[in-house]
Structure formats: structure tokens, C-alpha cells
Amino acid sequence: MKNFYAVIMAGGIGSRFWPVSRTAHPKQFIDILGTGKTLIQQTYQRFLKIVPPENIYIVTNNNYTQLVKEQIPELADEQILAEPVMRNTAPCVAYASHKIAMLNPDAAIVVSPADHLILDTDEFVRNINYSLDAASRMSCLITLGIKPSRPDTGYGYVQFTSQKLEGDLHKVKTFTEKPNLELAKTFVQSGEFLWNAGIFVWSAASIISAFEQHLPEMNDVFKEGDNKYNTDAERPFIQHAYYQCTNISIDYGIMEKASNVYVLPTDFGWSDLGTWASVYQLSEKDYLGNAVIPSDRVIMYDSANCMVNVPAEKLVILQGLDDYIVVESNNTLLICQKSQEQKVKQIVADVKSIYGQEYI
């Protein structure tokens, strides 16, 4: 277990959850389901069941380091990896991998987003432990695949073959970004596709080797810091290094290109909580299908199938709404048809162009 490490990616701004999620206080730092714990706190506590507390690292934006410290005060400063600019997931994986490899060349690492929901923690722990053990023994890059329950167009898909590395680790054939509905239906019916959970497991040596092969320039940037990681020189070095990196995801930069990629089919009650509709699906509802968080002072008349998230102290009366999202936070009220919620990103862009940063 001392060779097992967790890297939690917590740098996103979560614009699809606006106005609750703001640039200054994004989704991963919010208790979006009303559980009493924020998403990053839940993620951190899950990994405590797998790796020692000192082996958990959180990669986040410079602007969020204080939020991370407030929400997980037991983290040491060196466990918070601060990015000066957003450059997608490949640089953050390269940074964490090089830093950990300098501490422990035998490290096996799980990389996970901070803002996903896992309902079956025991099954998650079992799957991650198995993957870390496999990655420690073999030169492979493992991605976790979720058995699809519906033809969802909001997720990426992983196609696998019958060829296995061992156990249930299947060779990956293709990655497909969010498909249209017809394609998604075909994928699910074929039985050869899984949702891409964006959770990865590999040894430090395997992922650095993959960077050397597929993103050599980015690898060179971070390799230059090998004698600076875990010293006082790390922060200044990283502030400079990130500006030399291209904006590219680990999926596109490495996983879609490497030949030693395997997927573990899993079923641990996963959701990426990517939209208000996904929160609605997971929330408790009344007999008319309304999900209200918190529910203290909301009165609903002739209303059904609504997702309501409003401040606890505010009295809200809704009449005659069906299938709507009603969200209020930070002096902003959003009322939107659930079927149109993909427009929230555009709404945020419009608000920004009209009012500047004030409501973003």
C-alpha cells in the first residue's frame, strides 16, 4: 500500500452548474447533492480507504489552493499541486507523475476527477486496489469503464475486445467522444462498449514512458524539474513550466494513441454529475417527481419533475412548472427547461459578455 498513490484532479470551473458553481467557487467545492460533504471531500475520503493519507495529491488551480486547504485541512502544502494556468489534463498528469516518481520510482497511481459521484464505495475500492496491483506488476495503462445503463450522449465510450491482459482487464480497441443518440444506441446494444469514467490507473514508470513516446515535448518540460520536485524550487519551476505546455487532454494525448491500454469493466454506481439533470436523477424526489435541495421552504403547486436548488433561508413558491430547473445562488436566479440545460454554458458566456465577471 505504501507504493499506492492517488492524484485528484480539481482544477475545473464547472460552468454547467452555474449559478451555484462559480469561477471563484466551482462545483468540486460544493455539496451539490445536499449530503453534508462537498464532492472533493467525498473523493478524498474514498481514497483514504485505498492509499495512505500522505500519498494523496490534489492538482488544482492556483486560485483554489485556499479552498482545498479549508475543505481538507489535513493535507500538507506539498500535497497540493497548484497550476498557474488551465492546460487540460495531460500536463496535470505529467506534473504529478514526475513529482511522485522522484519520491518513489515504484509508485502505482490512480488518477481521478474530484467531482464524480460513487454510490458503491466498497466495489470502487475493490476495483481500484485490483487495478493498482495489476499496474504495479505489468506495463499497462488502465482506464475504468462503466457498464452503460442507457444510450447516454453525454459520455465518452470505450470499445474493448475479448483479448485480456489478466482477470477482467480487456484490451481497448477504440475511444469515442460523446456520440449522437443513434450511435450511442448501437454502442449499448453491441455489448462491446463502456462509458469512459475518466479514472485512470498506471505505474509512474509506465505513464512517464507513454509521455516520452506520445507527448515527448511535454514530457521534456516536466522532466527538467526532476531535481526540483519536493523542494522549495518546485513552485517557481511549475509556474514557468505550465506556460510551455499545449492544452491537451490525457485521453487524446496518450490513451487514444498508446498500444498498452486496457479497460476494467466496473459497476460501482458512478455518475460524473455533469449536469443538473444528472443531479436530478440521483436526488430524492417527492411523489410528483420534484427534487428539492434543500427542501425547508419550497412550496410547489401543480408542479412536477422539477429540479429545485435554492438558498435554505429563502421562501420559494412555484406554480404550474413541469420539467424545469430552478436554481438560485450568488444573487442570480436561473429558470430553465430541463430539456434545454445544455444551453447553460452559452447562457454563462452571454452573461459574461453583458455584465463582465460580476455574475460569473
Side-chain angles (χ1 to χ4, degrees), residues 85-331:
V85 283
M86 291 175 76
R87 286 287 187 268
N88 216 315
T89 51
C92 103
V93 171
Y95 173 18
S97 301
H98 275 275
K99 178 180 168 75
I100 291 168
M102 295 314 293
L103 283 173
N104 182 350
D106 299 321
I109 305 167
V110 51
V111 179
S112 165
D115 54 4
H116 289 185
L117 178 74
I118 310 290
L119 294 174
D120 187 344
T121 300
D122 291 345
E123 182 66 6
F124 175 79
V125 168
R126 192 182 70 75
N127 290 148
I128 299 295
N129 274 324
Y130 171 75
S131 301
L132 284 164
D133 176 63
S136 301
R137 292 181 284 105
M138 295 174 283
S139 179
C140 56
L141 308 176
I142 299 169
T143 183
L144 268 59
I146 309 297
K147 291 164 188 169
S149 56
R150 60 187 181 277
D152 199 301
T153 58
Y155 295 146
Y157 286 74
V158 184
Q159 184 183 20
F160 61 93
T161 70
S162 55
Q163 184 188 337
K164 293 183 183 181
L165 184 63
E166 67 161 42
D168 213 15
L169 283 172
H170 292 259
K171 186 102 168 86
V172 168
K173 189 175 180 182
T174 62
F175 286 91
T176 305
E177 265 308 299
K178 304 168 181 175
N180 63 35
L181 188 58
E182 285 310 303
L183 201 52
K185 283 178 179 170
T186 309
F187 286 176
V188 174
Q189 282 160 5
S190 75
E192 295 176 11
F193 288 80
L194 302 162
W195 288 336
N196 183 358
I199 301 170
F200 307 107
V201 182
W202 39 53
S203 68
S206 293
I207 190 62
I208 289 171
S209 169
F211 269 97
E212 285 170 351
Q213 193 174 345
H214 303 290
L215 290 174
E217 289 172 359
M218 187 177 291
N219 190 64
D220 288 346
V221 168
F222 289 99
K223 189 174 174 57
E224 207 177 295
D226 280 356
N227 61 346
K228 299 181 177 73
Y229 299 124
N230 313 301
T231 73
D232 291 342
E234 178 178 332
R235 284 270 162 94
F237 168 75
I238 286 299
Q239 297 299 314
H240 174 66
Y242 260 73
Y243 289 95
Q244 300 171 59
C245 293
T246 48
N247 187 327
I248 190 168
S249 71
I250 193 72
D251 302 74
Y252 185 72
I254 303 276
M255 302 303 279
E256 292 181 21
K257 298 185 171 86
S259 58
N260 59 335
V261 178
Y262 293 83
V263 63
L264 180 70
T266 61
D267 190 7
F268 42 67
W270 169 88
S271 169
D272 74 344
L273 289 180
T275 60
W276 280 117
S278 64
V279 172
Y280 172 79
Q281 284 165 354
L282 293 155
S283 299
E284 280 187 32
K285 303 167 192 68
D286 65 17
Y287 70 102
L288 290 170
N290 296 309
V292 184
I293 309 171
S295 58
D296 303 3
R297 301 189 184 191
V298 177
I299 305 172
M300 304 186 76
Y301 299 98
D302 310 318
S303 296
N305 308 310
C306 291
M307 171 76 234
V308 183
N309 185 306
V310 291
E313 70 282 358
K314 176 153 277 194
L315 174 62
V316 176
I317 295 97
L318 300 176
Q319 194 278 327
L321 291 185
D322 185 10
D323 214 39
Y324 270 78
I325 295 163
V326 179
V327 183
E328 184 184 349
S329 185
N330 302 301
N331 205 25

